[in-house]
Amino acid sequence: MDSQGPYLNLNAVASPVGVARVWQIIFSCVTVSLVAHQAGFNAAYGTFCMFVWCLCLTTTACVVALEFTRLHTCLRLSWDNFTITFAMLATLMCVTASVVYPMYFLQAQCPHEGCEVRNYRIAVTVFSCLASVAYLAEVIIARAKPGHVSGYMATASGLLKIIQAFVACIIFGALVNESQYSRHAATQYCVAVYSFCFAVTVIVVLLTVSGKTPLLRCPFDRFVVVYTFVAVLMYVSTAVIWPVFCFDKKYGSPRRPDTCTRGKCPWESQLVVTIFTYINLVLYIADLAYSQRIRFITQP
C-alpha cells in the first residue's frame, strides 16, 4: 500500500453508487444473455437494442474495474462528470430499448418459433427495464445536492443537456426517415437549427467531461446561459415554422394521407419531429431557468 491508501478501492462496489453499478452489470448481462440464447433479434431495431445493452454492459464493467483498481485517476477526464453523463445516457438508451424491443419483437400470440421464445422476450423486456431503473438510481444518487461540491454534469442543467442531445438524435432519426424536409427552405432552416443546437450541446458536454472548459476563453457558466437563451429562441422559431410547412394545407397535409405506408410515411415522420421539437423546447426553457437560478445562487 502507498501513502494514499489501499491499491484497491472497495467503495467502487460497496458504496450506494457502486451497488447500483453492480446491479446494472447484472441486469445488462442477463438481458444480453437472454437475447443471445433464445429471444433473438434482427433488423435495424433489434440491432440497436442489442448494441445498447452491450454498450451499457461493457462500459459499466470498465467503469467499475477502473474505480476498483483506482486506474481512473490516470485518465485525463473529469471522472465524476463522465460517470454521471454515461449513467444518464444509459438510462435514456435502456428506456428506449425497453420500449422498442417489445414493440417489434413481442406479440400476444406465440411466434412461429414457439411460446418459449415469447417468454424469453418478455424476460428480456423485464430485465431491460430493471437495468433502466438501476442506471436511473445512479443518476439520482450522484446528482448535485445543495451544499455539496459537484461537477456541472451532475446538476440539473448538465443532465438536461444530455436529454436535449438524446431528443435531437430522435429528431434526426425521424428526419432521415422520409420526412421530405428538403422540399422547403423553411424546413431546411429548421434542420439547421436542430443541427446547430445539437452540435453546441455535444461540445459543451465533451468539454465538461474532458475538463477542457478553459478552452472557451470566457466564463463557462456565462457561455452556457447565453447559448441556452439562443437555443430557446431558435427552437421557438422552429416550433412555429415546422408545423406550418408540414401540416398547413398550402404546404402539406393536416391529416395522415390514406396512401401512407406504415413506417415509411413522411407525414408520420413530420409528426414525430414536431412532437420532439416541442419536447426539446420545453427542455431548453427548463435549462435556461435552472441556469439562471444557479447563477443567482453562486453570485455574492
Side-chain angles (χ1 to χ4, degrees):
M1 293 186 295
D2 58 19
S3 60
Q4 297 179 348
Y7 289 111
L8 299 180
N9 178 22
L10 295 180
N11 284 331
V13 293
S15 66
V17 170
V19 171
R21 289 173 182 163
V22 170
W23 283 113
Q24 292 164 11
I25 294 173
I26 293 173
F27 293 142
S28 299
C29 184
V30 172
T31 303
V32 171
S33 301
L34 290 172
V35 174
H37 175 63
Q38 192 72 24
F41 69 98
N42 54 53
Y45 298 106
T47 302
F48 165 77
C49 294
M50 194 61 167
F51 166 77
V52 166
W53 295 321
C54 290
L55 175 67
C56 292
L57 172 61
T58 53
T59 305
T60 305
C62 289
V63 167
V64 172
L66 289 171
E67 283 206 358
F68 187 72
T69 58
R70 300 183 189 273
L71 290 177
H72 69 284
T73 57
C74 302
L75 301 177
R76 294 183 177 180
L77 290 175
S78 176
W79 185 252
D80 291 339
N81 281 320
F82 168 75
T83 53
I84 194 167
T85 297
F86 174 74
M88 186 72 249
L89 180 61
T91 301
L92 298 171
M93 294 177 70
C94 283
V95 168
T96 304
S98 300
V99 174
V100 170
Y101 188 82
M103 183 183 298
Y104 287 93
F105 296 97
L106 188 58
Q107 301 175 350
Q109 297 81 16
C110 294
H112 65 275
E113 296 94 341
C115 292
E116 185 179 1
V117 173
R118 183 193 62 182
N119 296 336
Y120 272 96
R121 290 174 178 174
I122 293 174
V124 167
T125 304
V126 171
F127 278 98
S128 181
C129 291
L130 291 174
S132 304
V133 173
Y135 280 108
L136 180 60
E138 179 181 348
V139 173
I140 293 173
I141 295 171
R143 76 187 191 284
K145 300 175 181 63
H148 291 77
V149 178
S150 58
Y152 171 74
M153 297 309 300
T155 65
S157 182
L159 296 174
L160 284 170
K161 290 288 188 297
I162 303 168
I163 303 174
Q164 292 160 8
F166 188 81
V167 171
C169 289
I170 299 176
I171 292 175
F172 292 139
L175 286 172
V176 300
N177 186 28
E178 305 291 339
S179 66
Q180 298 180 352
Y181 66 85
S182 60
R183 293 176 58 187
H184 306 288
T187 51
Q188 293 179 30
Y189 160 78
C190 294
V191 175
V193 169
Y194 301 139
S195 302
F196 171 78
C197 294
F198 173 76
V200 177
T201 299
V202 170
I203 290 172
V204 169
V205 172
L206 291 178
L207 287 175
T208 305
V209 170
S210 61
K212 302 296 184 180
T213 53
L215 293 177
L216 292 173
R217 305 292 184 180
C218 65
F220 178 71
D221 55 346
R222 180 172 298 179
F223 170 81
V224 170
V225 171
V226 172
Y227 156 65
T228 306
F229 176 69
V230 173
V232 168
L233 296 180
M234 297 179 75
Y235 259 89
V236 167
S237 66
T238 60
V240 175
I241 294 173
W242 181 268
V244 169
F245 280 84
C246 290
F247 304 116
D248 187 86
K249 291 182 180 180
K250 183 178 179 180
Y251 306 103
S253 174
R255 295 184 179 180
R256 185 183 187 277
D258 297 332
T259 56
C260 260
T261 304
R262 181 178 175 83
K264 294 184 178 180
C265 178
W267 190 90
E268 291 179 347
S269 297
Q270 292 165 2
L271 180 62
V272 170
V273 172
T274 303
I275 293 172
F276 282 95
T277 295
Y278 282 100
I279 290 175
N280 238 3
L281 174 59
V282 172
L283 291 173
Y284 276 108
I285 292 174
D287 189 358
L288 180 62
Y290 188 84
S291 298
Q292 287 294 100
R293 177 170 172 263
I294 287 295
R295 181 167 175 257
F296 175 78
I297 292 175
T298 55
Q299 281 188 340

